[in-house]
Amino acid sequence: MYDVIVIGGGLAGLVSALELTRSGWSVVLVERKTYPFHKVCGEYVSNEVRPYIESLGVDLNGLGAVNINRFQFSSPSGRLLEATLDLGGFGISRYALDYALYQLALEAGVTFRLGRQAESVTFQEDGFSVALNDTETLHSRLVIGAFGKRSKLDRQMNRAFMQQPSPYIGVKYHIRAGLPDHGMPDHRVSERGMLEHPFPTDVIALHNFPDGYCGMSAIEDDKYCLCYLTTRRNLRQFGNIADMERAILYQNPHLKRVFETYEFLYDKPEVINEISFAPKKAVEDHILMAGDSAGLITPLCGNGMAMAIHGARLVSQVANLFLNGQLSRPQLEAQYQTAWSGLFARRLWVGRNVQRLFGDAWLSEWAVTLIRTFPPLLQTIMRQTHGEVIAATPVSPLPS
Ligand SMILES: Cc1cc2nc3c(=O)[nH]c(=O)nc-3n(C[C@H](O)[C@H](O)[C@H](O)COP(=O)(O)OP(=O)(O)OC[C@H]3O[C@@H](n4cnc5c(N)ncnc54)[C@H](O)[C@@H]3O)c2cc1C
């Protein structure tokens, strides 16, 4: 019998397992893959959580995280605008960040079941049973559902967002600047100009193309993350990713240049499909959801990872109160749902609405014109999708 079973070992799962173990609870984390591994994600992390992540013991500078404080946006035709980011962020691969948190969790004493999948969760007599895809069944007082955007458990629970098909797919690469023999000229950004080359490391760019957008920003070891969101319809039309990229993404001249002149470091891209941005509940079948399984913000906000980490801190705080006997289960569930919605519901709503502007050729051309005319508008939108920097105090202090 564990105090807590955490299902899913992304940022939300790893941070909550780490926090609750350091608070003295017995925690087992089930993750279907084995660390380290790549994940579809733009890998730009908002500074909202930087002090907190460092306070958990992650040495971001040592991992090679790159500071980012400028934003570039291009319409499908390539019209470009640039702004300073109020809060800014940093670039780090999920391969490195999740692995660093996994190592801290191991050191803290989290028990792991790696390469195993949670198949079903049952709540009975005030406790949980979680059946894994081998013969093992785990038991606990609490379950934290940190299983990301979409999992077979969502189907098992018949969650509302699973009833509607979602048209979105995500594709990600790691790339390195300029093929050496290509001799690209060193363009600077101008009103209607091209991107600087090589791409500056303090910039996150968001390039639109018909029915999608693509983020690009620096990560550790002189690499960049190139990650885009588009629709299944685009893919179906061309049959495979490479042909779709040539036909659709290359329409944006900045993206064409990146695809033609950068070195692509994976054998094949990381791909996920059926990404849903529909509202979800933070508590379902008595499971406390954290990260994307509680709600996924549209990627153009560059804030999903910060929300997953922030949400993990929140779930750890309320779980501590329940495990200590200071909250009953109904109080725990009500408090968590209210606190989660208070922190994140508005951002998710704004993100969903802003996403409507992107990918649509006419609307995103219009958005560039509007923001060039009223530059503060961009900062206002960004502020609506981000929160305050969270306290650099873990729920449970590091053991001395
Ligand atoms: C295209 C795209 C680009 C993005 N770019 C950015 C960005 O630049 N910046 C940003 O902040 N956010 C970005 N996001 C959002 C960000 O990736 C997520 O919000 C973040 O990864 C959420 O973390 P998580 O821990 O909730 O989920 P995840 O990191 O997805 O972790 C869930 C884990 O659960 C495991 N799992 C699932 N089911 C089971 C099961 N049944 N049993 C065991 N394990 C299971 C999975 O293997 C996975 O490791 C982007 C999202 C997309 C789709």
Side-chain angles (χ1 to χ4, degrees), residues 7-13 30-33 35 37 39-46 94 98 116-119 146-153 169-171 204 227-229 272 275 277 290-293 296-297 299 302-306 308:
I7 306 175
L11 297 173
V30 186
E31 166 55 51
R32 68 178 172 202
K33 299 195 175 168
Y35 300 100
F37 58 93
K39 205 164 246 188
V40 174
C41 181
E43 302 185 331
Y44 164 83
V45 191
S46 163
R94 293 297 297 270
D98 290 31
R116 314 255 209 112
Q117 187 154 330
E119 293 280 314
F147 36 78
K149 298 155 198 52
R150 193 179 193 88
S151 159
K152 65 190 317 180
L153 293 174
I169 61 168
V171 180
I204 173 154
C227 184
Y228 63 86
L229 186 84
I272 50 169
I275 306 168
F277 303 106
D292 287 355
S293 43
L296 170 59
I297 192 162
N303 208 23
M305 287 191 274

Side-chain angles (χ1 to χ4, degrees), residues 45 78 130 152 156 163 173 258 261 263 296 298 334 372 394:
V45 191
V130 176
K152 65 190 317 180
Q156 192 220 1
Q163 316 304 322
Y173 301 94
V258 170
T261 61
E263 182 187 1
L296 170 59
T298 49
R372 276 185 180 170

Side-chain angles (χ1 to χ4, degrees), residues 24 31 41 53 95 105 120-121 124 158 169 174 186 235 260 269 281 323 340 344-345:
E31 166 55 51
C41 181
I53 301 177
Y95 193 87
S120 66
V121 182
Q124 223 173 11
N158 213 10
I169 61 168
H174 280 171
D186 182 20
L235 181 59
E260 287 182 344
K281 288 187 189 159
L323 294 165
W340 197 95
F344 304 124

Side-chain angles (χ1 to χ4, degrees), residues 25 52 55 141 165 281 287 385:
W25 308 111
Y52 174 63
S55 74
R141 296 166 65 196
K281 288 187 189 159
I287 301 172
T385 58

